[in-house]
């Protein structure tokens, strides 16, 4: 097999580091470590969607998915990472992609078996798997559940055949509906991904999508504004998408209709019935820790004197080779102390409920005094509401989120 030409950061692994390296003294003092989640990346899809910049690769044809070798690589990757998270319970697992539902239920069963053998999952840990309606067949979702998946996230995007075709999706609206109905039967909790501001979309078509989605009574909806990402087919051949004014009106309609349907907008793009918020994503937004294994996966891990970010090799063939030879880590660096407050705010201010000041101190090792000027400014501009213990974005703060977050950029 030929190895593609790689960007510089793909050429060589980060130096293999033992745990002493991460435990060495440093300027930061974290009094407690945050909750830990596990992310597993499965990087293949039936076909690459023209808008997508995720690390996902079209699978080359029947029998081309190297399931067994990839599972071996994931296990080796996890084994090599264990010293960095030794003894810490894992609260949530998210199997994302790509299209994880390309992997057979037997493979997912083996993957979860390996994870449970190596890591202490908490009782009742949330285990999410992303599924694409184009890979759906009868009883497949039930088999994932039997393997230990507790929550399914179905990539619907739209129920409208014309819009689905414009998005290059491998399924139509009827298949999307059938997949969601099956998810509802097989799982106590599940999510639908929808996108809006699609090429040629008008308000009436969005309304129709919301109508169908809400009639399926999903406990959780993720609704994303379609963005044109660099290095995608859409970046090269831009489709005509709704003007900003219409896109804003669409977001207002989404918020209104989801609220009327009993779903609360608890994060910028996430809507849930009470008790069905995604625990895994909440941990990201609360600046918790996560170990990411699999091609291109990112990790954020805290130690007593530092917060570290890692990235695995992105290209799947190279990733498998490197993971199986003991070091899948392409990049490994401490987060600069000066950047921690801003990184925390990039996440925490996405939450309707905001954050506790105590969590800010615990997770960044920075004092409340260090962000007092930015908090004062944000309050004066009507972007946050706060008391002695808690900060949350106002409606206006949510509408002007990047302006709010920028107040916390290092000086
Ligand atoms: C990694 S995909 C996982 C789901 C699965 N691969 C699928 O597409 O059916 C996660 C979600 O990100 C969203 N997404 C991907 N690219 C996007 C873009 N350019 N703009 C907005 N949302 C996007 C889609 O809603 C997609 O379902
Ligand atoms: S199926 Fe999902 S991950 Fe795969 S290319 Fe399409 S949007 Fe990206």
């Amino acid at each position: 097999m030929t190895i593609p030409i790689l960007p510089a950061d793909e050429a060589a692994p980060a130096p293999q580091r033992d745990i002493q390296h991460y435990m060495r003294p440093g300027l930061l003092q974290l009094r407690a470590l945050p909750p830990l989640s596990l992310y597993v990346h499965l990087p293949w899809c039936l076909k690459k969607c023209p808008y997508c910049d995720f690390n996902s690769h079209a699978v080359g044809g029947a029998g081309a998915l190297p399931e067994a070798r990839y599972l071996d690589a994931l296990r080796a990757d996890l084994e090599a990472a264990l010293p960095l998270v030794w003894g810490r319970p894992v609260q949530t697992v998210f199997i994302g992609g790509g299209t994880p539902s390309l992997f057979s239920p037997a493979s997912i069963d083996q993957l979860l078996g390996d994870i449970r053998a190596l890591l202490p999952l908490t009782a009742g840990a949330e285990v999410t798997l992303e599924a694409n309606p184009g890979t759906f067949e009868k009883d497949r979702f039930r088999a994932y559940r039997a393997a230990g998946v507790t929550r399914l996230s179905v990539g619907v995007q739209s129920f409208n055949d014309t819009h689905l075709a414009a998005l290059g999706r491998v399924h139509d609206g009827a298949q999307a509906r059938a997949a969601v109905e099956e998810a509802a039967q097989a799982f106590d909790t599940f999510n639908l991904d929808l996108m809006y501001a699609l090429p040629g979309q008008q308000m009436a078509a969005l309304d129709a999508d919301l109508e169908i989605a809400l009639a399926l009574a999903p406990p959780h909806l993720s609704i994303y504004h379609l963005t044109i990402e660099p290095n995608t087919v859409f970046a090269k051949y831009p489709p005509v998408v709704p003007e900003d004014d219409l896109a804003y009106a669409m977001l207002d309609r989404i918020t209104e209709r989801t609220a009327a349907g009993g779903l609360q907008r608890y994060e910028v793009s996430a809507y849930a019935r009470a008790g069905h918020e995604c625990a895994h994503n909440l941990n990201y937004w609360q600046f918790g820790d996560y170990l990411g294994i699999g091609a291109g996966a990112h990790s954020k891990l805290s130690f007593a004197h530092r917060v570290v970010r890692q990235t695995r090799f992105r290209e799947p063939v190279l990733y498998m080779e490197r993971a199986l030879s003991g070091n899948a880590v392409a990049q490994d660096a401490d987060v600069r102390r000066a950047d921690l407050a801003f990184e925390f705010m990039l996440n925490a201010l996405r939450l309707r409920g905001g954050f506790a000041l105590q969590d800010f101190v615990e997770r960044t090792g920075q004092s409340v005094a260090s962000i007092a000027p930015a908090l004062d400014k944000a309050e004066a501009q009507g972007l946050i509401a706060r008391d002695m213990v808690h900060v949350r974005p106002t409606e206006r703060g949510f509408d002007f989120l990047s302006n709010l977050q920028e107040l916390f950029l290092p000086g």
Side-chain angles (χ1 to χ4, degrees), residues 78-210:
L78 183 53
E79 277 170 350
L82 285 182
L84 276 62
V85 295
W86 207 248
R88 294 176 65 182
V90 172
Q91 321 272 339
T92 65
V93 178
F94 196 104
I95 306 171
T99 301
S101 56
L102 278 177
F103 276 57
S104 68
S107 291
I108 299 300
D109 188 55
Q110 188 188 322
L111 170 63
L112 289 173
D114 286 348
I115 291 169
R116 283 181 195 283
L118 294 170
L119 287 173
L121 294 200
T122 54
E126 177 191 272
V127 179
T128 303
L129 178 120
E130 282 184 336
N132 181 313
T135 60
F136 158 76
E137 62 200 45
K138 185 118 187 68
D139 294 335
R140 195 175 179 90
F141 291 173
R142 267 179 226 285
Y144 288 134
R145 187 188 176 119
V149 173
T150 65
R151 179 177 184 272
L152 206 71
S153 177
V154 188
V156 165
Q157 320 313 347
S158 171
F159 293 97
N160 177 306
D161 289 347
T162 308
H163 293 318
L164 287 169
L167 291 172
R169 298 290 293 180
V170 294
H171 58 87
D172 61 18
Q175 282 170 300
R177 241 189 253 220
V180 176
E181 279 163 5
E182 187 85 4
Q185 278 175 22
F187 289 91
D188 299 331
T189 194
F190 64 96
N191 168 60
L192 299 193
D193 280 344
L194 289 178
M195 295 194 295
Y196 72 99
L198 306 178
Q201 192 179 36
Q202 297 296 326
M203 191 63 96
L206 173 70
D207 264 329
D209 268 352
L210 291 172

Side-chain angles (χ1 to χ4, degrees), residues 39-45 55-57 59 64-79 94-100 102-104 107-108 110-112 114-115 292-298 312-324 328:
Y39 175 78
V40 184
H41 193 74
L42 307 188
W44 290 281
C45 296
N55 185 30
S56 59
H57 306 261
V59 62
L65 193 65
E67 282 192 55
R69 185 169 160 82
Y70 197 73
L71 290 178
D72 289 346
L74 286 172
R75 188 183 166 102
D77 188 356
L78 183 53
E79 277 170 350
F94 196 104
I95 306 171
T99 301
L102 278 177
F103 276 57
S104 68
S107 291
I108 299 300
Q110 188 188 322
L111 170 63
L112 289 173
D114 286 348
I115 291 169
I293 59 169
H298 295 263
R312 271 30 181 185
F313 285 97
R314 228 177 122 77
E315 198 288 313
V317 172
L318 181 66
Y319 164 77
M320 289 189 280
E321 195 184 292
R322 293 290 158 91
L324 288 165

Side-chain angles (χ1 to χ4, degrees), residues 168-370:
R169 298 290 293 180
V170 294
H171 58 87
D172 61 18
Q175 282 170 300
R177 241 189 253 220
V180 176
E181 279 163 5
E182 187 85 4
Q185 278 175 22
F187 289 91
D188 299 331
T189 194
F190 64 96
N191 168 60
L192 299 193
D193 280 344
L194 289 178
M195 295 194 295
Y196 72 99
L198 306 178
Q201 192 179 36
Q202 297 296 326
M203 191 63 96
L206 173 70
D207 264 329
D209 268 352
L210 291 172
E211 187 79 35
I212 299 171
L214 292 168
L216 292 162
H220 193 288
L221 272 175
S222 300
I223 312 187
Y224 304 106
H225 186 161
L226 173 69
T227 48
I228 307 299
E229 302 289 346
N231 304 317
T232 59
V233 173
F234 273 6
K236 202 166 171 196
Y237 305 103
V240 180
V241 291
E243 301 280 338
D244 285 354
D245 282 356
L246 177 56
Y248 284 126
M250 285 178 163
L251 179 57
D252 286 344
R253 184 68 61 91
I254 290 165
T255 312
E256 234 167 70
R257 293 203 56 174
T258 49
L263 298 163
Q264 211 212 337
R265 187 181 183 199
Y266 71 99
E267 186 267 349
V268 174
S269 308
Y271 305 76
R273 262 192 251 148
H276 289 271
E277 296 83 2
C278 175
H280 185 86
N281 288 341
L282 270 176
N283 192 39
Y284 290 156
W285 295 320
Q286 291 166 345
F287 212 53
D289 276 4
Y290 48 94
L291 172 65
I293 59 169
H298 295 263
S299 305
K300 176 229 164 207
L301 296 169
S302 304
F303 299 86
H305 302 298
R306 62 193 31 81
V307 176
V308 171
R309 289 200 181 276
Q310 290 186 334
T311 311
R312 271 30 181 185
F313 285 97
R314 228 177 122 77
E315 198 288 313
V317 172
L318 181 66
Y319 164 77
M320 289 189 280
E321 195 184 292
R322 293 290 158 91
L324 288 165
S325 57
N327 188 7
V329 179
Q331 288 169 333
D332 174 304
D334 289 9
V335 179
R336 291 189 324 151
R337 203 166 158 231
D339 293 333
L340 278 164
F342 179 60
E343 289 211 9
F344 180 93
M345 297 303 169
L346 279 182
N347 289 284
L349 290 170
R350 296 179 62 91
L351 288 168
R352 172 62 85 206
F355 62 91
L357 287 165
Q358 181 60 34
D359 285 344
F360 169 79
V361 173
E362 236 176 68
R363 290 171 192 196
T364 64
Q366 311 297 297
S367 65
V368 174
S370 70

